[in-house]
Amino acid sequence: MPKLTKTVWRLGWVSLFTDVATEMSYPLLPAFLRQLGAGGVWLGWVEGIAESVGAFVKYAAGARSDQGTRRKPYVVAGYTVSSLVRPLLSLAVAPWQVVALRASDRVGKGVRSAPRDALLAASVSPETRAFAFGFHQMMDNLGAVIGPLIAFGLAGALHFSLRQIFAFAIVPGLVAVSVLVFGVKEEAPAPAKEKHEGKAPLDPRVKRYLVAVAIFSLGASADSFLLLRLSHQGLADAMLPIAWLSLNAMKALVNVPGGRLSDRIGHKWTLLGGWTLYAIAYASFPFAKTITATWLVMLGYGLYYGLTEGAEKALLSQLAPAEQRGRAFGTLHAVTGFAVLPANAVFGLLFDAHPESAFFLGAACAGAGALALALVNIPKQNAPSPSPPP
């Protein structure tokens, strides 16, 4: 197995602790919104507005980080904002406040995401990028397993309320920021010539790839709707974190194998397989009429993440030159973020009126995105670069 650099390892730990904080709260949002008198429409707006606000910031931060000499300050600022804002959910008394706080959290994610991905891509060789991104996503998803377990323990053993659990999320968030500040070192900046070249237009193949991602993302609603469906089918609120962690455990199990598979057979083909699996899973949810059936389909759906989370970013790293990666990753995040506003808003409306139609729409968009990706011409992998520093 290829050796990971210290940068990849430590960014992985930062992601793990951050997701512990996030996923203590996130699976409880549907229940919390119900307590505030809100339903599927509000959940759609919470997710759609939050991701779209974050999308604009992701593009701006990614492009800006290409022009500067360091990416780490953006990463530190983004993680700090999210870690401080997230616990304020404990004070929310109206659905619009949940929307505002969730959007502020995503602003922090927007500031950090593209610079972090560019920082990670620069720390590994082209032949192992999907593996490195897959490992990073595995750590992220492990955090999403641990977070709901902590929430479950706090609610069950210590009888914490939802608000108290939200407040407790500041602890792992501050641990993540500490690891980032003191543990992650940034290498020397790129030469000034490369920074100037970074202002050139993105490669047409990058643009075609991003079009395919946009089409797919128009049907990629938030996974919290799966929790809402389980809740409607009768799953107890206390079990929602367990359902959520089971999905993230499946993701974590397949992230590294999926990344290594992508490095071997090609990022495009792995991504196509993942998007096709997404379409099949979403087309299956309308036929899952019981909690058990829905839960099982959800676990199968988790395999999609293992095939795509490493491959999606590795493919973009393959298409975009190093001096444009901040902007390329920022554009990728922006495209997906802007697409999920209509995706979540429409899905929320359909979910309240006719849930089966919502899932079929998601399946159709995933299939259309896969067809668009199949038409993108992918160049051969770049020649091996010098071994990155440890």
Side-chain angles (χ1 to χ4, degrees), residues 189-265:
K193 181 176 182 291
E194 290 189 354
K195 295 299 179 183
H196 177 73
E197 287 173 354
K199 300 177 183 178
L202 292 174
D203 187 286
R205 288 172 297 193
V206 173
K207 295 178 181 178
R208 287 193 289 270
Y209 170 52
L210 293 174
V211 168
V213 171
I215 294 171
F216 171 83
S217 299
L218 285 173
S221 58
D223 290 343
S224 52
F225 281 107
L226 304 181
L227 297 181
L228 190 59
R229 183 163 178 83
L230 285 169
S231 182
H232 285 177
Q233 290 178 332
L235 187 67
D237 288 348
M239 290 298 296
L240 290 175
I242 302 302
W244 189 247
L245 76 85
S246 71
L247 172 60
N248 286 289
M250 179 61 73
K251 296 180 191 179
L253 283 172
V254 293
N255 275 137
V256 169
R260 296 190 69 193
L261 177 67
S262 181
D263 284 329
R264 289 174 181 171
I265 71 171

Side-chain angles (χ1 to χ4, degrees), residues 19 24 29 47 69 103 112-113 128 168 229 250 271 282 291-292 306 354 374 382:
D19 245 48
M24 287 176 60
L29 280 182
E47 294 305 318
T69 58
R112 71 183 186 249
S113 294
T128 59
F168 190 82
R229 183 163 178 83
M250 179 61 73
L271 193 56
Y282 260 60
I291 291 174
T292 300
H354 198 274
N382 298 331

Side-chain angles (χ1 to χ4, degrees), residues 19 42 44 69 102 115 131 142 150 159 169 175 223 228 236 239 241 304 310 316 321 327 340 356 374-375 387:
D19 245 48
W42 270 106
T69 58
R102 180 73 173 157
F131 172 51
L142 280 177
I150 293 175
H159 306 291
V175 173
D223 290 343
L228 190 59
M239 290 298 296
Y304 138 79
L316 186 59
R327 182 152 55 101
V340 297
E356 289 74 15
L375 299 176
S387 298

Side-chain angles (χ1 to χ4, degrees), residues 340-362:
V340 297
L341 175 56
N344 283 290
V346 172
F347 195 96
L349 288 169
L350 287 175
F351 188 89
D352 281 347
H354 198 274
E356 289 74 15
S357 298
F359 286 110
F360 284 135
L361 175 63

